[in-house]
Amino acid sequence: MLTEGKGIPLAVVVAGANRHDMKLLGATLEAVVIQRPAPSEEEPQNLCGDKGFDYPASRQEAVEHQYIPHIRSRGEERQEKQDNPEYRPRRWVVEVCHSWLNRFRKILVRFEKNLATHLGLLQFACAYIVFKRAGSF
């Protein structure tokens, strides 16, 4: 799942639970449903990732999609927590979006065998979240 700064979902890709997140990065970046503005030197576009994306392939994928990758190295967050006991991780944006999606009981546990059906339910839930956050309802 790709979200913007307020936790609003921008892209969803469906895969098996045994598929690593870093292998889905390219597909997720290509699945963004709104056209993003072209990055420039004055307004570069950043991509933040946790240690699950700490691989050269993930960094390369981000650069190929014209993002500046900000990916935490493995062990970096643990060291930061030891150095500063008041440190709080910055992954709350994605976690908030996942929490909103978990409120849709139909998609909380996947019973649909058809991928298109499950993806449609996820997209419907994401659209509902976007409209709700935009104040349309």
Side-chain angles (χ1 to χ4, degrees):
M1 167 143 343
L2 182 64
T3 62
E4 65 102 27
K6 295 180 175 119
I8 295 176
L10 298 177
V12 176
V13 175
V14 178
N18 60 347
R19 185 91 168 150
H20 198 282
D21 289 345
M22 70 79 96
K23 298 201 182 251
L24 300 172
L25 181 60
T28 305
L29 293 175
E30 291 170 9
V32 174
V33 293
I34 58 170
Q35 187 173 352
R36 71 180 231 232
S40 64
E41 287 188 27
E42 297 83 30
E43 293 186 30
Q45 294 184 1
N46 302 296
L47 181 70
C48 297
D50 62 7
K51 62 185 177 183
F53 295 98
D54 187 22
Y55 296 94
S58 297
R59 294 178 193 280
Q60 181 63 31
E61 194 72 48
V63 170
E64 286 175 6
H65 283 86
Q66 298 180 335
Y67 286 102
I68 298 172
H70 300 278
I71 299 172
R72 296 290 257 181
S73 299
R74 291 181 211 99
E76 184 179 344
E77 190 170 303
R78 181 179 47 221
Q79 185 63 40
E80 184 85 25
K81 206 172 205 179
Q82 287 176 351
D83 295 344
N84 181 7
E86 296 184 18
Y87 170 76
R88 297 280 184 245
R90 297 192 59 184
R91 64 178 99 75
W92 62 270
V93 175
V94 174
E95 290 176 2
V96 164
C97 190
H98 284 169
S99 173
W100 291 337
L101 283 173
N102 287 342
R103 294 178 188 166
F104 294 89
R105 292 177 56 191
K106 180 72 175 166
I107 61 174
L108 186 57
V109 177
R110 181 178 174 181
F111 292 106
E112 284 73 27
K113 297 198 184 284
N114 188 344
L115 178 66
T117 303
H118 185 65
L119 181 59
L121 289 169
L122 278 170
Q123 289 171 338
F124 181 74
C126 290
Y128 181 81
I129 290 169
V130 170
F131 285 125
K132 186 90 168 167
R133 295 290 297 164
S136 297
F137 291 128

